Amino acid sequence: TGDELIERIRAHSTDDAVVGPAANDLLDELYRGYPVENLRVLLQGDEPSARTGAWLLSELGERAAPLLDDVAVLLAHRHRNVRFFAVDVVLENAGGDDGPLIARTINLITDPESAVRWKVLGFLADATTEQLMAGAAHLPPGRLADLARWLIGYDTGEPDRAEVAAGLSAPDPLTRLFAVAVAARLAEEDTALLEQAAAAADEEVRTFARERLEDAVSSG
């Protein structure tokens, strides 16, 4: 049962493998109707348990919505994997009334871990305009808020592709990340900026752009 699987995960929480047979079986149980709220015991547990719980939430898509209020703590968790998986939960479930949570997610674009920054970059590329606007409204004044509004401007106004192209090679690394997020958002209409980003000197920008281009080819 779901309860037994949770206890198995907790009992083996010192194992290196966060996603093991018990976690996969529990995911199946959750899809069959086992209450997602019962994952709190993992999310509030030790570090390996929290990592497994966050992974499960990230795999549940919209089924994770009942625990959306718990995600703010996960976004601030000391382990990068928990923060990484929590971003997916925000992308799939946050709406216009969740501005503070979305702002916390956008803030992680400055995370010290490159994996977390990569995940947030995907969030910036894939979030709805409503999500981005809700989050930007709760960012404190400063460079990050300005860049978030700049990103939103490409959804609501006429794109200035020359400005984005310049941003991809800007001296400020944060500007470069937001510029490649813009390029990814515009790629459905025109991949030229994403192709430029795929040749950028900045490894994070280049890697992200190349992956998005590969995804576009495989899905097209």
Side-chain angles (χ1 to χ4, degrees), residues 3-91:
D3 291 348
E4 291 169 339
L5 289 166
I6 283 179
E7 289 311 309
R8 279 176 56 189
I9 292 167
R10 294 178 70 196
H12 295 87
S13 61
T14 56
D15 291 350
D16 291 332
V18 172
V19 182
N24 281 301
D25 289 346
L26 181 53
L27 183 61
D28 290 339
E29 289 297 313
L30 288 160
Y31 271 105
R32 293 189 189 107
Y34 182 69
V36 68
E37 291 88 347
N38 291 354
L39 290 180
R40 282 197 178 100
V41 70
L42 294 178
L43 299 175
Q44 297 171 2
D46 61 12
E47 193 171 279
S49 294
R51 281 186 279 161
T52 301
W55 173 77
L56 286 164
L57 276 187
S58 75
E59 291 291 309
L60 286 172
E62 294 180 357
R63 294 172 187 258
L67 290 184
L68 188 60
D69 288 344
D70 297 65
V71 175
V73 174
L74 303 182
L75 291 170
H77 198 278
R78 66 181 180 178
H79 199 281
R80 67 178 182 182
N81 286 14
V82 177
R83 302 194 302 277
F84 180 94
F85 292 131
V87 174
D88 284 330
V89 185
V90 176
L91 180 63

